[in-house]
Amino acid sequence: MASAPARAMAVVMLTFVLLGLGMAADDKAPIKWQRAHATFYGGADASGTMGGACGYENLYTAGYGTRTAALSSVLFNNGASCGQCYKIACDRKLADPAFCKPGVTVTITATNLCPPNDALPNDNGGWCNLPRQHFDMAQPAWEKIGVYKGGIIPVMYQRVPCVKKGGVRFRIVGRDYFHLVIVMNVAAAGSIKSMDVMTSDSNDWSPMSRNWGANWQSLVLLTGKELSFRLTDTDGQTVVFNKVVPSGWMFGQTFSSKLQFK
């Protein structure tokens, strides 16, 4: 039987081997950087980024500010990526040094779709065409990593946990029997995989479906009722927001919870 020092040395050597393979000792692979390109839009104050394909509307009041981006179709995933966060840096190996700010990263939240433009080639104007991975970033965020005159730069990116202030927010929009609930300010995974609603006159959860972007549709009548929501994010974490919307709510109102994903 090996001595205690020998066994300890074996453990140390195994740890170094695993790290050398790019893995942690608990067998979890590290987060990898991927390559893409990035442009910018929305003006110096990002006012042109309001609205968008996720439905967050006013990004200032929704808590997203100017650190946002529109994703190309392959990244947007039909709205399933709304709310996800990405750390982005200029790719020093591929970028023109004149237009790259090396050693700097910026973290953005996905709030919009950068639609394809099939009338232009993928490498000359059709930046968001399939199958390109592309970020059309709010100008203030882009200028953290690139020089304005460059227009477009190659970047490295990785998806990261979202850090948000306060709890998850719910805005109810629509009319009559057509109700949409916009889910905003989601931390951790940032994006929602499934959503259920329970009304004050029921003891059962009713599934909701993604209508578009971060807008979830209910097939049950919600008008005038106190509402609870059950959300599962794309990492599998489930949080129940009990009675977060009071009875007598009105369309266009936003309700902030005290709970957040971790």
Side-chain angles (χ1 to χ4, degrees), residues 50-68:
M50 300 299 108
C54 287
Y56 296 131
E57 299 177 4
N58 189 320
L59 299 180
Y60 298 152
T61 59
Y64 297 107
T66 62
R67 299 292 188 267
T68 64

Side-chain angles (χ1 to χ4, degrees), residues 1-248:
M1 180 179 294
S3 64
R7 289 197 300 270
M9 181 60 70
V11 172
V12 172
M13 292 301 295
L14 176 60
T15 301
F16 277 117
V17 169
L18 289 172
L19 293 175
L21 292 174
M23 300 176 64
D26 62 0
D27 235 11
K28 292 182 179 179
I31 298 176
K32 295 182 179 179
W33 289 90
Q34 301 182 65
R35 283 196 161 95
H37 283 78
T39 48
F40 61 86
Y41 78 117
D45 61 354
S47 59
T49 64
M50 300 299 108
C54 287
Y56 296 131
E57 299 177 4
N58 189 320
L59 299 180
Y60 298 152
T61 59
Y64 297 107
T66 62
R67 299 292 188 267
T68 64
L71 309 186
S72 60
S73 297
V74 69
L75 293 173
F76 189 70
N77 193 21
N78 294 319
S81 297
C82 285
Q84 291 182 357
C85 296
Y86 298 84
K87 181 182 291 186
I88 304 176
C90 185
D91 189 343
R92 291 178 293 175
K93 292 184 177 180
L94 299 180
D96 184 330
F99 303 129
C100 181
K101 295 179 180 178
V104 181
T105 64
V106 62
T107 299
I108 58 88
T109 303
T111 58
N112 201 356
L113 167 69
C114 179
N117 185 352
D118 295 328
L120 296 175
N122 286 17
D123 59 352
N124 188 17
W127 310 125
C128 291
N129 293 350
L130 291 172
R132 290 177 61 95
Q133 298 186 87
H134 190 91
F135 296 88
D136 196 16
M137 301 169 62
Q139 184 177 328
W142 190 91
E143 288 192 281
K144 292 291 183 180
I145 59 172
V147 177
Y148 182 89
K149 291 183 179 180
I152 178 172
I153 55 173
V155 296
M156 301 290 290
Y157 77 93
Q158 60 178 227
R159 188 180 162 198
V160 296
C162 296
V163 178
K164 302 299 180 184
K165 295 181 179 179
V168 175
R169 303 174 190 172
F170 303 88
R171 179 185 298 137
I172 306 178
V173 298
R175 64 183 186 278
D176 301 329
Y177 289 90
F178 179 67
H179 302 151
L180 293 179
V181 179
I182 308 169
V183 184
M184 304 174 291
N185 202 52
V186 180
S191 49
I192 300 302
K193 180 180 180 181
S194 65
M195 181 172 179
D196 304 297
V197 61
M198 182 187 295
T199 60
S200 52
D201 60 351
S202 172
N203 293 320
D204 298 320
W205 289 104
S206 298
M208 302 180 72
S209 59
R210 187 189 307 276
N211 187 283
W212 61 278
N215 291 259
W216 292 79
Q217 180 179 353
S218 171
L219 297 179
V220 300
L221 182 63
L222 305 182
T223 305
K225 301 176 183 179
E226 186 179 61
L227 306 177
S228 301
F229 297 111
R230 181 172 63 186
L231 305 182
T232 299
D233 69 13
T234 49
D235 287 343
Q237 182 182 175
T238 298
V239 178
V240 173
F241 301 84
N242 192 38
K243 300 179 180 179
V244 68
V245 176
S247 59

